[in-house]
């Protein structure tokens, strides 16, 4: 949950790495733009210098700040950046478009996504890097995005979206008297646009798998990672993704047919086992990488939410799962129960009773407003009705901030509302100074299996996440039940 108290992000250039040519390493420094170093008798080549000849460059440059804003800024880790530079360098060395330069930015987001903008701007989230298991899988993802750039898909998509927007306006204006026909026409337009996007994805798959194999990586990595992302989609809440719409699967539809097509493209290079995975180097690169939310967003630890910056915490009952989004903390539970938590500034002169009646709660029953105390904190609770749901609204004052709990249940389960709402709001409290100091972010940690280790014994070392064995299997692509092997290195999540 980001609020007005969110900490400022680091300088955005800190996470940008510049690549071109086919070189496998770069000189990189936090807060500075990296440049490539060519042969000793040549001047360094910068991304901007190479990109200046690309007519698509202004599009990417104009969108770059918006991407950073949407995904939490850039994530800076020189070790990680050098590892990615090596991957992109190998890919570009076998590119069918060797004159193009690429700039790769690691986004400070737990969402799982990667994408490209016209002009050679590549993006990958640290959430995706945490899910990937080796260099080949990341190479497959980046080669796919490079395929979008080379095929001008960004330009085509922009043109299609502009045409669809214009058509949408025409439809709504011309067919305004026939809403059914208007909706049908708009639906057909959106379906055509979606179909076009799927064709782009399949083309980028084919281009990316060829480039991955040509670079010497395992060409079957694309199919493996598509399956891993599909598994992730059913485990989304455990990753505390800050917005499902920002995830890879929202823009890169997965399907069994797509996985099978990826395997077919890979078979052109030989049977499974062809090419290198470069797993050890990859794991070394992501060791210590931040996982999940940042301190400025707050942390989910099992069924509790902690915000060290704001100094607050609360918990949810058994059976609930918390999802920390950019706008609010959401929780879902049995029987279609939903909880929303956020905070707003409120002048001390405004009473909580007046505030709760100020119009932001639809369907409020003013007769249910009652002042309460939650610990030593002033609070007010009320009920509301909307559609087929009943709601409890509880607001709690902490200094100049008011924190709001909204608990919703189906109307036929209204009798359960007070107990659940009181339990959640009643768990709210201000953190002690020593508790705030002890809160640390979660990170990817690489461990080596010892003799006698099992999936469960290693998974028990995971912190801050429920369903630890499932998480361990998902992070390490062990869904086939093959178990762990002594001496093998594995990912866990810990402070």
């Amino acid at each position: 949950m980001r609020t007005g108290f969110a900490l400022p992000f680091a300088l955005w250039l800190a996470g940008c790495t510049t690549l071109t040519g086919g070189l496998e390493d770069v000189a990189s420094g936090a807060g500075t733009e990296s440049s490539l170093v060519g042969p000793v008798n040549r001047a360094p080549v910068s991304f901007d210098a190479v990109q200046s000849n690309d007519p698509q460059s202004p599009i990417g440059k104009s969108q770059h700040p918006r991407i950073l804003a949407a995904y939490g800024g850039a994530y800076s880790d020189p070790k990680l950046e050098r590892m990615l530079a090596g991957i992109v360098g190998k890919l570009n060395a076998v590119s069918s478009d060797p004159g193009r330069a690429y700039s790769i930015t690691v986004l400070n987001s737990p969402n799982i996504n990667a994408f490209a903008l016209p002009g050679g701007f590549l993006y990958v989230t640290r959430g995706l890097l945490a899910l990937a298991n080796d260099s080949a899988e990341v190479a497959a993802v980046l080669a796919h995005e490079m395929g979008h750039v080379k095929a001008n898909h960004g330009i085509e998509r922009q043109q299609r979206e502009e045409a669809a927007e214009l058509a949408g306006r025409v439809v709504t204006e011309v067919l305004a008297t026939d809403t059914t026909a208007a909706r049908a026409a708009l639906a057909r337009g959106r379906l055509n646009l979606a179909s076009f996007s799927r064709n782009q994805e399949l083309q980028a798959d084919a281009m990316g798998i060829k480039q991955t194999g040509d670079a010497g990586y395992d060409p079957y990595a694309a199919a493996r990672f598509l399956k891993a992302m599909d598994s992730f989609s059913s485990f989304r809440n455990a990753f505390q993704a800050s917005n499902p719409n920002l995830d890879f699967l929202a823009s890169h539809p997965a399907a069994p047919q797509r996985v099978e097509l990826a395997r077919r493209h890979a078979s052109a290079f030989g049977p499974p086992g062809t090419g290198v995975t470069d797993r050890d180097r990859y794991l070394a690169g992501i060791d210590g990488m931040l996982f999940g939310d940042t301190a400025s967003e707050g942390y989910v630890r099992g069924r509790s939410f902690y915000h060290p910056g704001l100094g607050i915490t609360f918990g949810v009952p058994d059976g609930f799962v918390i999802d920390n989004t950019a706008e609010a903390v959401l929780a879902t539970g049995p029987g279609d129960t939903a909880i929303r938590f956020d905070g707003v500034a409120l002048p001390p002169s405004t009473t909580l009773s007046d505030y709760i009646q100020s119009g932001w709660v639809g369907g409020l029953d003013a007769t249910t407003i009652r002042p309460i105390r939650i610990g030593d904190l002033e609070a007010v609770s009320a009920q509301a009705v909307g559609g087929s749901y009943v709601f409890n609204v509880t607001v709690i004052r902490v200094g100049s901030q008011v924190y709001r709990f909204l608990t919703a249940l189906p109307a036929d389960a209204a009798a359960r509302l007070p107990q659940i709402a009181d339990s959640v709001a009643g768990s709210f409290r201000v953190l002690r100074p020593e508790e705030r100091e002890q809160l640390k972010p979660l990170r990817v940690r690489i461990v080596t299996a010892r003799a006698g280790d099992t999936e469960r014994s290693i998974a028990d070392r995971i912190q801050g996440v429920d369903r630890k064995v499932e998480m361990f299997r998902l992070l390490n692509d062990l869904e086939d039940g093959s178990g762990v092997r002594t001496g093998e290195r594995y990912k866990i999540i810990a402070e």
Side-chain angles (χ1 to χ4, degrees), residues 27-108:
S28 177
T32 61
E33 181 180 354
S34 304
S35 61
L36 289 170
V37 180
V40 293
N41 61 341
R42 294 176 58 188
V45 180
S46 71
F47 172 64
D48 285 341
V50 177
Q51 190 196 44
S52 62
N53 297 321
D54 188 340
Q56 299 179 11
S57 175
I59 299 174
K61 284 184 176 180
S62 67
Q63 295 298 314
H64 181 71
R66 296 174 61 183
I67 296 298
L68 293 175
Y71 284 86
Y75 180 73
S76 177
D77 181 340
K79 171 170 63 78
L80 180 63
E81 293 162 17
R82 285 193 295 271
M83 181 267 292
L84 291 173
I87 293 174
V88 179
K90 287 180 180 178
L91 291 172
N92 213 30
V94 296
S95 173
S96 59
D97 189 9
R100 187 181 296 277
Y102 292 93
S103 169
I104 182 166
T105 300
V106 180
L107 296 169
N108 191 20

Side-chain angles (χ1 to χ4, degrees), residues 372-379 396-397 428:
I372 58 176
R373 302 290 296 184
I374 294 178
D376 296 330
L377 302 173
E378 175 193 2
I396 307 168
R397 191 192 295 273
F428 179 91

